[in-house]
Amino acid sequence: MAAPKLDQIDLKILDAVQRDGRITKLALADKVGLSPTPCWMRLRKLEKAGIVAGYHAKVAMRAVAPVATVLMEVTLASHRQADFDRFERVIRDVPEIVACWSVGGGVDYLLKVMARDIDAYQRLVDVLLEREIGIDRYFTYIVTKTVKEEMTLPVADLLPASS
């Protein structure tokens, strides 16, 4: 399915709702230079197309409780489709694994894990290994400081250049 054509107003709408998911109809319309009804219709069109996939609050977890953020590289022992499917099915159901990417370049997956502490992380790894979901090797990287973690995507910058 081809991606819908987005004009400058659509891009402004996407930028605005990423920065403030609670923006009012009136404020959004003002920000993008449209009257409220056409602006709202455009936003609904972007939602129906699946381009706006949801609205979320960003929680400052460290303000709630201490947390260990861990990046984990995983290599599977076997590379049949059924092995990937089994691993991914299990990973989707583990709440401490907040992100998982299938990657190329020497490892199979990169995971972002948030645990109470390093001991809790290791217990999680032990459980995953005991479940025999195909993990051959894993490497752990403890996040000591978050330098940058953007939630707002640079949509306009990622679109192909117009010819």
Side-chain angles (χ1 to χ4, degrees):
M1 184 174 166
K5 288 279 189 187
L6 302 176
D7 63 18
Q8 288 301 313
I9 292 175
D10 293 325
L11 296 175
K12 286 180 183 179
I13 291 171
L14 291 174
D15 185 63
V17 297
Q18 283 188 93
R19 293 179 191 285
D20 181 3
R22 298 177 68 184
I23 192 168
T24 66
K25 289 186 215 181
L26 194 57
L28 179 61
D30 185 52
K31 188 172 277 282
V32 303
L34 281 181
S35 59
T37 301
C39 181
W40 195 248
M41 289 172 52
R42 280 177 177 254
L43 179 58
R44 288 287 172 240
K45 183 182 93 182
L46 293 167
E47 291 171 345
K48 285 180 182 166
I51 295 169
V52 175
Y55 299 88
H56 310 278
K58 182 178 179 184
V59 175
M61 193 59 211
R62 289 180 191 253
V64 176
V67 65
T69 303
V70 180
L71 301 179
M72 178 181 179
E73 290 181 352
V74 174
T75 302
L76 300 184
S78 182
H79 292 97
R80 297 173 307 210
Q81 189 58 49
D83 299 309
F84 293 117
D85 292 344
R86 180 181 66 221
F87 177 83
E88 291 172 15
R89 195 170 34 255
V90 169
I91 294 306
R92 281 188 193 100
D93 292 333
V94 179
E96 297 90 344
I97 299 173
V98 297
C100 176
W101 300 275
S102 175
V103 297
V107 297
D108 296 317
Y109 294 95
L110 180 61
L111 287 67
K112 179 179 178 181
V113 181
M114 295 189 79
R116 285 189 179 110
D117 53 35
I118 300 305
D119 289 338
Y121 164 74
Q122 190 57 56
R123 286 191 302 276
L124 173 65
V125 171
D126 292 343
V127 167
L128 292 174
L129 294 172
E130 287 171 9
R131 290 188 70 179
E132 297 183 5
I133 58 172
I135 297 174
D136 181 40
R137 292 180 299 139
Y138 71 94
F139 295 94
T140 298
Y141 303 94
I142 310 298
V143 175
T144 58
K145 177 172 79 169
T146 300
V147 176
K148 181 177 181 180
E149 186 175 44
E150 283 294 325
M151 302 308 287
T152 303
L153 304 175
V155 178
D157 296 330
L158 299 174
L159 291 175
S162 301
S163 14

